[in-house]
Amino acid sequence: PGPPHPASKRLQSPSADVREFACASISRLVQQSQTIPGFLQRDAVRRLGPLLLDRSLAVRETATGALRNLSACGGHEVCEDMVKQDVMTPLTALLRECCAGFETNDALSLKGQKNTVEDVANEAVNLLWNLCESSSQALSVFNKAGILDVILQCLERHTHNIKLALSAAHCLHTVTEDNAELLCSMNNAVLGTLESVLRSSQADMAHTLLRTLAAGSVWNLKSSLPTARQAQTLNALMATLSQCLELDAGTLIPQLRQAEVARSATASEAGNMEDHQAAAGNTAVEEMDEEEGVEPRTNGKATKIDKDFSDLLPRGKEELREATALLTAQQTSLEIIVNMCCSDDPSDDEWEEASSSDESEMCPDGLSEGNTSLLSPLCLSAEVHGALINHNIPEKVLKKTQFPSSEAMDVCRHNPTWKMLIKKMHRVQYRALTCLHNMLSTMDAESLGGAAALQAVAQHLSTLVFSPPDIPKEEEFLEAVTGAMRSLLQIIAYMKIPQCMTPQQLMSLSEAATCCDVVSVRVNALAILGITGSTLAQEKRTAETLQMIGNALLQVATKDANLVVCGEALDALFDVFADGDEAERAAENINLLSALKALQPVFKAKIRKEGKGKYSPEQLCVLDNIKVNLRRFIGYLETVVKK
C-alpha cells in the first residue's frame, strides 16, 4: 500500500468530528473515478471498515456513505476488491446492530436527534445492494450470514421510513434474482412480509415503487411459493404491475413540477438558499444517473445495471423524488414483465452463458436454424398468461411504447435538476418495446387481440419509426423497436395478415440499422428484410422490390465485419430467394449466383481465421450451419439457371 492519504490519517483521530469530516472528504473524493485506484492502494477499505462500528452514529453514517460511494462509482471490479478486503464482516455486524437499535432509534428520533440508526441502516443497505449486485462473493456471504432477516426488518418499516424500506426493497429484488442458494432458506415470514407490502394502499409514488420492487422479489421467489397461495399471490403481483403502468407520467410529471414551484414560492428566502446549496452538492446524483446503462441478454431477460439514487436527492426535493420513483417503478414493472415473457428454453441460456464477454456481440436468439420461439409460447404458464390478459397488461405495455409526452419533456428540459428524468422517460419507452417484443414472442395471436390488433400494433410501430423526419438513431431505441418489429412481422407473415409498412420504409430502416454499432440491431434489421422479402416472393410483380432487398442483403453479407451479421444476411437471402418466379427473376437480375460463389470462399476463410477467438461455440455451430446451407443454396440456384 502507498502512503496514507491525508484524509485517511484523520480517520484515527480521537475526535469524532474529525473522523466524520475525514469520512465525508473521502466520500466526496471517490465520486471522481480517477481517485479510486489510489484509495484502494492505500487500503482505504480496511481503514474505513472499523468506522462502520464507531461509537458515534454520525461517523458510522459518513463512513458507510463513503464506502457506498466507492462501490457505486467504482463499478464491478472495485466491489469485488472491497469484498476481498473483507468489507462484509463489519457491514454484516453493522446491519445487525442497526436492526437491534430500531426501537431505541424511535425514541431518539422523537427527540429530534440528527443522525439516527435508520439513517445509518439506509447507507448500509445501499452499500450491501451495490456489493451483492456486482460480486458473487458478497452474494454468497449474504446467503450464509443470514442477512435476509435484517433486510426484511428494514422493509417492514415502510409505514414510517419509506426511504429505508425502498433501499431494502431494491436490495431484496437484486439478491433474490437467480439465487438458488437463497431459495432454500425461504420461509412464510419472507413471503408474508412481501405480501403485506403488496397489500399496502398508500398512493404516493414511493409506495408505488416499493410495491413494484416487492412484486419483482415475489416473481424471483415464485418457485418457493406454497401451492395453495400461488394463484392469490400471482393476482396481487399482477394487480401491482397493472396499477403502476396505469399511471400517466406525461400528466403527473408536469403536475409534480408545478407543486414544487408553488411550494418554493411560499418557502422562506433562507429555505431557498439551503435548497440551492443542497442542489449544488447533488451533482454526484446527476452524474451517476448519466452513467446508467443496460446490458441486453440474448434470451430476452432484462438485466438491471441502472441505479436508483433518489434517496441521495437533497431534502426539499420531494416532488422530484416522487417523479423519479414513478419512472423507476414503471421501468421495473416492465422489466418484470419482460422476464415473465422471456423464453425459458434451456438452449437460450447456454447461448447466453457461452457467449463472448462483449454483450453487444452476443448472438441473437433468432439465428439458430428452425427457431420457432416466435410462434410457440415456450414458458408462459397458463396461469401467468391468464393473469396478464385479465389485468390488461398487453394494452398498458403498448401505451408505454409511445414517445414521452412533449409537455413532460419540456418541463424537464427547462429545469437543471429535473433534466435527469429525460433519460428515465426514454428508458421506460425502450423497456416497453422490449416487453412488447417478448409478449409477441411468447403469447398467441388470439390472446393479443387477433389479426386486427396485430395490424394496429404494426401501424403504431410504423408511426414510431417513420413519423419523425429521420429514423431515430438512439441505439437503445433501435434495439428495442427492431426486436418488436421482427417478432410482429414474423407472426403477421405466418398468419398471412397484410401489414402497413412498405418495403421502401423497411429498406430505409435497414439502412439506418446497418450503420448502428449494436450487433443485435443490424441482425434484427436483416431478419426484417428476410421476412418481408419471403412474403413478397409469393406475390405477383414484386421482382423489382426483391432485387432491392437482395442487393441490400448482399452488401451486408460481403462487407459487415461481424460474422454473425454476415450469417444473418445470408440466412435472409436463402429465405427471400428460396422459391417463386418473382424471386428467380430477381436473383438473375442481381447476378445472385455469381455473387454468392465469389463470397463463399471468403466466408469460409473468415470462419476459419476469426471464428475460434471471437465467437462462442454455439455461434460457430450456427455459422457452420449457414456455411453448409450456402453450399446447398448455390447448388439450388445452379439448377434454377439450367432450367
Side-chain angles (χ1 to χ4, degrees), residues 383-405:
E383 294 77 12
V384 174
H385 186 277
L388 284 166
I389 301 298
N390 292 344
H391 287 279
N392 278 343
I393 300 281
E395 194 184 308
K396 289 172 182 175
V397 167
L398 192 61
K399 270 195 182 143
K400 297 289 174 223
T401 62
Q402 292 168 350
F403 286 113
S405 96

Side-chain angles (χ1 to χ4, degrees), residues 468-484:
D470 296 306
I471 290 175
K473 289 185 176 60
E474 169 58 46
E475 286 178 355
E476 252 188 287
F477 172 77
L478 279 176
E479 185 167 24
V481 84
T482 54

Side-chain angles (χ1 to χ4, degrees), residues 357-640:
S357 59
D358 177 359
E359 298 274 340
S360 65
E361 297 287 316
M362 282 187 174
C363 194
D365 52 1
L367 202 71
S368 54
E369 248 191 327
N371 180 319
T372 54
S373 68
L374 294 162
L375 308 173
S376 54
L378 281 171
C379 71
L380 264 195
S381 68
E383 294 77 12
V384 174
H385 186 277
L388 284 166
I389 301 298
N390 292 344
H391 287 279
N392 278 343
I393 300 281
E395 194 184 308
K396 289 172 182 175
V397 167
L398 192 61
K399 270 195 182 143
K400 297 289 174 223
T401 62
Q402 292 168 350
F403 286 113
S405 96
S406 51
E407 193 190 349
M409 290 289 277
D410 286 347
V411 160
C412 297
R413 265 193 214 106
H414 294 127
N415 188 286
T417 48
W418 286 63
K419 218 176 221 160
M420 67 176 195
L421 297 184
I422 293 176
K423 192 173 268 193
K424 285 187 175 293
M425 283 189 272
H426 281 301
R427 191 149 284 140
V428 168
Q429 181 199 20
Y430 306 154
R431 291 300 182 279
L433 284 164
T434 304
C435 208
L436 176 64
H437 164 60
N438 280 23
M439 283 179 166
L440 289 164
S441 304
T442 49
M443 295 170 80
D444 59 281
E446 281 318 303
S447 62
L448 290 167
L454 291 172
Q455 280 176 307
V457 174
Q459 182 62 61
H460 168 65
L461 291 179
S462 167
T463 309
L464 285 184
V465 177
F466 303 116
S467 60
D470 296 306
I471 290 175
K473 289 185 176 60
E474 169 58 46
E475 286 178 355
E476 252 188 287
F477 172 77
L478 279 176
E479 185 167 24
V481 84
T482 54
M485 272 185 173
R486 176 184 180 164
S487 299
L488 181 65
L489 291 173
Q490 203 146 354
I491 295 170
I492 281 178
Y494 177 77
M495 293 176 69
K496 298 188 166 45
I497 305 168
Q499 61 88 10
C500 59
M501 288 174 248
T502 67
Q504 283 71 18
Q505 283 181 321
L506 293 171
M507 285 297 300
S508 66
L509 171 64
S510 124
E511 278 163 30
T514 314
C515 309
C516 182
D517 288 339
V518 179
V519 169
S520 59
V521 173
R522 305 207 294 278
V523 166
N524 285 338
L526 296 166
I528 288 169
L529 285 186
I531 297 160
T532 308
S534 56
T535 306
L536 289 172
Q538 312 307 314
E539 296 169 14
K540 297 272 183 282
R541 291 187 295 280
T542 54
E544 208 174 307
T545 310
L546 293 176
Q547 283 169 222
M548 186 169 70
I549 290 174
N551 277 325
L553 293 171
L554 268 176
Q555 178 89 350
V556 175
T558 317
K559 295 197 170 155
D560 200 291
N562 186 291
L563 278 175
V564 168
V565 179
C566 298
E568 183 70 37
L570 287 168
D571 236 3
L573 280 166
F574 306 155
D575 288 344
V576 175
F577 295 96
D579 59 20
D581 297 342
E582 298 290 323
E584 281 179 27
R585 196 173 310 124
E588 198 181 330
N589 290 347
I590 63 170
N591 296 321
L592 183 61
L593 177 58
S594 56
L596 290 178
K597 275 184 167 174
L599 174 64
Q600 189 181 23
V602 180
F603 185 64
K604 278 165 76 171
K606 265 189 167 178
I607 293 177
R608 210 172 38 248
K609 211 162 85 188
E610 298 172 20
K612 293 253 178 339
K614 278 176 80 174
Y615 303 94
S616 71
E618 283 74 14
Q619 289 173 329
L620 287 174
C621 176
V622 173
L623 289 168
D624 278 337
N625 252 334
I626 292 168
K627 188 172 69 180
V628 172
N629 289 344
L630 177 57
R631 193 184 65 233
R632 288 179 187 154
F633 190 67
I634 287 173
Y636 158 73
L637 287 177
E638 285 172 334
T639 60
V640 171

Side-chain angles (χ1 to χ4, degrees), residues 21-96:
F21 182 75
C23 291
S25 305
I26 292 172
S27 196
R28 270 194 305 278
L29 283 166
V30 296
Q31 287 172 18
Q32 298 149 6
S33 50
Q34 72 275 13
T35 65
I36 290 175
F39 272 102
L40 291 175
Q41 281 165 3
R42 295 190 180 102
D43 248 5
V45 176
R46 286 188 207 280
R47 289 171 197 272
L48 281 165
L51 298 183
L52 298 190
L53 300 166
D54 195 272
R55 294 184 306 280
S56 150
L57 275 181
V59 173
R60 286 185 178 200
E61 188 181 347
T62 44
T64 315
L67 288 170
R68 173 189 175 179
N69 278 359
L70 186 60
S71 67
C73 302
H76 293 294
E77 282 174 22
V78 168
C79 289
E80 290 281 7
D81 203 49
M82 289 171 76
V83 175
K84 277 190 197 123
Q85 292 191 38
D86 198 29
V87 73
M88 292 296 285
T89 303
L91 179 57
T92 305
L94 172 64
L95 284 161
R96 292 197 186 293

